[in-house]
Amino acid sequence: MDVQSISLLESYPEIDSVKVNNLLTEELFDFSPKIVVLDDDPTGVQTVFGVYVYTDWEKDTLTHAFKEENQMFFILTNSRSLSESETVKVHTEIAERLCQVSKEQNQTFLLLSRGDSTLRGHYPLETDTLKETLERNLPYSFNGEVFCPFFPEGGRYTFHNIHYVKEGEHLTPSGNTEFARDQTFSFQSSDLTEYIEEKSKGNYTKESCVVISLEELRSLSFDPITMKLLQMEQFQKVVVNAITYTDLKVFTICWIRAMKKGKHYMARCAAALPKVIGNISDKPFLKGRELIAKGTTNGGLIIIGSHVKKTTEQFKALLESHTPLELLEFNVNSYFKEGGLESAAKEVLTQAEKHIQSGKTVLIYTSRKLLAPKDFLEEELLSLSVKISESLTSIVSMLHVKPSFILAKGGITSSDVGTIGLHVKKALVLGQVKPGIPVWLTGSESKFPNMPYIIFPGNVGTSTTLREIVESLILGGHFHEET
């Protein structure tokens, strides 16, 4: 499959966005299930604001979430850092408890499994586990699963069933990107119908997938699309093509209509779909210095754990900035020495506390080259990544000085820092500082209450995005709109 020019996205016919928005508002008016988004790392709130994220799924927590006024809430599972067996356990527990709380509160719910827009993760294991568990506990079965990794904030578009990743001024088929060569979640197929067949090992075939094309969406074929959804059965997959939010809204109108006729679906999606189905409006990007509490004299803390190519490019660009930073390298290869990671963490902690207290912002970064043995298995590499993340997190756990902000780069890193290092149980999503880069306000129960926590995915942004965010936080400038 060939790389495409970004200009190709403008070649499709215009769509009446005002009409679509009005129709969606009508459908959402009496659409009232709780919308529960299971997030496999903390970056799934990339498109929303004013909603809560919960970091555990105890029954009391879910009961509290169901009673909240907000229709939608997120549960952080962090399953992208878990083994397959751990993933099954977590999703079984969540599904069983959701059923219990739903019955007790007499409140139906719609479940979205938010996964990576570059297609990495435990798929279809997560949604298969949810389906099987829910169907044992609910009086209905699932007709279908919506599959929609479209995420324009991160430059992810789907057309002709091919999922593309924006790289500069070009669109690269997802199967040709570095993400497809992920050491834990590798794949080959860019065609989403073929991806589903590949990842399910043929349990769901390419031919069995229902496809919603851009042509159908752009021609506002509401009735034919709805009929396709109504005819789905036995957890068929529906692949949604989309290159704009209006495309996704057209699909969502049809999807809601099908659900109102008694059909049941689950979704595997990126962060765009929760925004649309959750009726979340747009919001201007948050400004750097406005996030930091007045009177704060301590410096901030930046932690870079991700090793994807984009992160390394962003890290290099940050180093070229004139922003005053104290750089502390965390040697990941100390993993291969007895007690090495623990020793490295303590050494970095001592220096970090001193600098933060003196008003300097500290950048802790993992060494860019991992010297893992060539015969390391996927599970061993995942375990190694988790151990490194745990060690980085321990630095936050042991901090005695409250930073003016924390920014964590990378999915596993940001999850562990939030849940383990900061002990966050419930966080409010304030919005985003750049496309796809959300900010939590930590809860009162956390290690450092009411502190802005910026969650920067490893695979999002341009080469200068990290630099621009840090400059805005430290130097007080405003964020520039990205093109």
Side-chain angles (χ1 to χ4, degrees):
M1 293 172 186
D2 297 331
V3 172
Q4 305 287 344
S5 169
I6 192 73
S7 63
L8 185 65
L9 299 179
E10 299 174 3
S11 66
Y12 286 87
E14 289 288 329
I15 192 168
D16 188 342
S17 59
V18 174
K19 177 181 179 179
V20 170
N21 287 336
N22 290 338
L23 286 172
L24 180 60
T25 299
E26 289 177 18
E27 293 299 336
L28 287 170
F29 178 73
D30 58 350
F31 182 69
S32 58
K34 274 288 180 182
I35 301 170
V36 184
V37 186
L38 304 187
D39 203 353
D40 71 353
D41 77 6
T43 62
V45 292
Q46 294 161 303
T47 59
V48 301
F49 66 93
V51 302
Y52 287 102
V53 180
Y54 297 88
T55 65
D56 72 67
W57 43 93
E58 296 297 330
K59 188 181 174 189
D60 287 348
T61 300
L62 297 181
T63 300
H64 176 78
F66 263 68
K67 290 180 177 179
E68 286 279 358
E69 185 178 344
N70 287 353
Q71 183 178 10
M72 183 168 67
F73 66 92
F74 284 68
I75 300 172
L76 176 58
T77 68
N78 197 32
S79 57
R80 210 181 302 171
S81 69
L82 302 180
S83 66
E84 289 190 357
S85 60
E86 290 170 328
T87 298
V88 170
K89 180 176 182 292
V90 163
H91 285 74
T92 300
E93 284 180 356
I94 292 174
E96 288 176 344
R97 290 172 188 168
L98 283 173
C99 290
Q100 291 173 0
V101 174
S102 172
K103 291 173 185 175
E104 291 173 4
Q105 299 299 315
N106 193 29
Q107 172 66 62
T108 60
F109 65 93
L110 170 65
L111 198 54
L112 310 184
S113 172
R114 202 295 303 190
D116 178 39
S117 61
T118 60
L119 305 179
R120 298 167 299 167
H122 291 292
Y123 181 81
L125 180 65
E126 293 181 4
T127 51
D128 281 349
T129 301
L130 292 168
K131 170 191 178 291
E132 292 165 9
T133 308
L134 293 174
E135 288 184 345
R136 288 197 303 268
N137 291 275
L138 295 173
Y140 57 81
S141 58
F142 286 87
N143 301 93
E145 176 187 278
V146 174
F147 195 84
C148 182
F150 163 71
F151 176 50
E153 291 86 351
R156 324 285 195 245
Y157 306 95
T158 308
F159 51 95
H160 300 309
N161 300 337
I162 309 299
H163 191 55
Y164 290 92
V165 175
K166 181 184 176 186
E167 296 183 328
E169 294 304 307
H170 296 91
L171 298 173
T172 302
S174 54
N176 297 346
T177 65
E178 63 167 318
F179 307 113
R181 300 186 292 276
D182 186 271
Q183 292 175 316
T184 306
F185 301 113
S186 62
F187 62 92
Q188 295 182 337
S189 305
S190 301
D191 183 312
L192 294 183
T193 63
E194 295 174 358
Y195 171 86
I196 289 169
E197 181 171 311
E198 175 190 345
K199 298 302 286 187
S200 71
K201 297 180 171 60
N203 289 331
Y204 301 101
T205 64
K206 173 182 178 179
E207 291 75 20
S208 70
C209 293
V210 175
V211 169
I212 308 299
S213 69
L214 270 184
E215 289 73 19
E216 289 173 289
L217 296 167
R218 290 294 166 104
S219 62
L220 302 183
S221 301
F222 294 108
D223 290 343
I225 294 171
T226 303
M227 184 56 65
K228 280 188 175 185
L229 296 173
L230 290 172
Q231 292 173 343
M232 293 176 68
E233 57 185 15
Q234 296 182 340
F235 210 43
Q236 267 182 290
K237 313 304 182 193
V238 55
V239 169
V240 182
N241 287 271
I243 60 175
T244 69
Y245 266 107
T246 306
D247 295 326
L248 189 55
K249 289 175 181 178
V250 173
F251 169 78
T252 302
I253 290 166
C254 303
W255 186 29
I256 293 173
R257 288 176 179 177
M259 285 189 278
K260 287 180 177 178
K261 289 183 178 294
K263 297 297 182 178
H264 298 281
Y265 308 87
M266 199 179 296
R268 177 68 169 190
C269 58
L273 188 56
K275 177 178 181 176
V276 174
I277 194 77
N279 198 24
I280 305 294
S281 61
D282 293 334
K283 180 182 179 179
F285 295 133
L286 299 166
K287 296 177 176 63
R289 293 294 296 183
E290 291 180 3
L291 289 173
I292 299 173
K294 291 181 180 179
T296 300
T297 58
N298 289 344
L301 175 60
I302 302 163
I303 301 175
I304 299 181
S306 169
H307 279 80
V308 299
K309 179 183 176 184
K310 182 166 283 189
T311 293
T312 300
E313 291 174 351
Q314 292 167 342
F315 174 52
K316 288 179 179 177
L318 176 58
L319 295 184
E320 294 170 358
S321 170
H322 296 299
T323 309
L325 293 171
E326 294 295 331
L327 306 181
L328 301 177
E329 181 178 15
F330 183 82
N331 184 7
V332 296
N333 295 300
S334 60
Y335 171 87
F336 301 104
K337 298 178 183 178
E338 185 68 32
L341 286 178
E342 182 180 290
S343 176
K346 288 180 179 177
E347 182 180 340
V348 169
L349 171 68
T350 300
Q351 298 179 63
E353 284 199 316
K354 179 181 68 177
H355 293 309
I356 292 171
Q357 194 160 27
S358 68
K360 299 175 181 176
T361 292
V362 172
L363 169 58
I364 300 173
Y365 64 97
T366 51
S367 44
R368 298 289 89 191
K369 189 157 182 161
L370 178 64
L371 304 176
K374 291 183 179 180
D375 58 351
F376 246 40
L377 301 175
E378 285 185 3
E379 288 282 323
E380 290 176 308
L381 284 167
L382 182 58
S383 176
L384 183 152
S385 296
V386 170
K387 291 290 185 186
I388 291 171
S389 184
E390 287 175 350
S391 298
L392 275 175
T393 302
S394 72
I395 297 170
V396 178
S397 298
M398 294 185 288
L399 264 181
H400 292 100
V401 181
K402 180 180 179 179
S404 57
F405 69 88
I406 293 182
L407 183 155
K409 187 87 169 71
I412 294 177
T413 301
S414 58
S415 179
D416 284 354
V417 167
T419 59
I420 302 171
L422 294 173
H423 310 299
V424 175
K425 296 294 184 184
K426 178 183 178 181
L428 176 66
V429 182
L430 295 177
Q432 292 72 42
V433 291
K434 285 274 194 176
I437 303 171
V439 183
W440 287 4
L441 184 67
T442 57
S444 59
E445 79 293 337
S446 67
K447 179 181 177 71
F448 298 127
N450 300 312
M451 181 191 70
Y453 177 40
I454 301 160
I455 297 166
F456 198 144
N459 59 6
V460 165
T462 68
S463 61
T464 61
T465 302
L466 176 62
R467 172 178 173 169
E468 291 166 9
I469 292 172
V470 173
E471 287 176 346
S472 182
L473 285 163
I474 297 175
L475 303 179
H478 296 291
F479 296 121
H480 301 290
E481 294 286 339
E482 293 203 8
T483 57

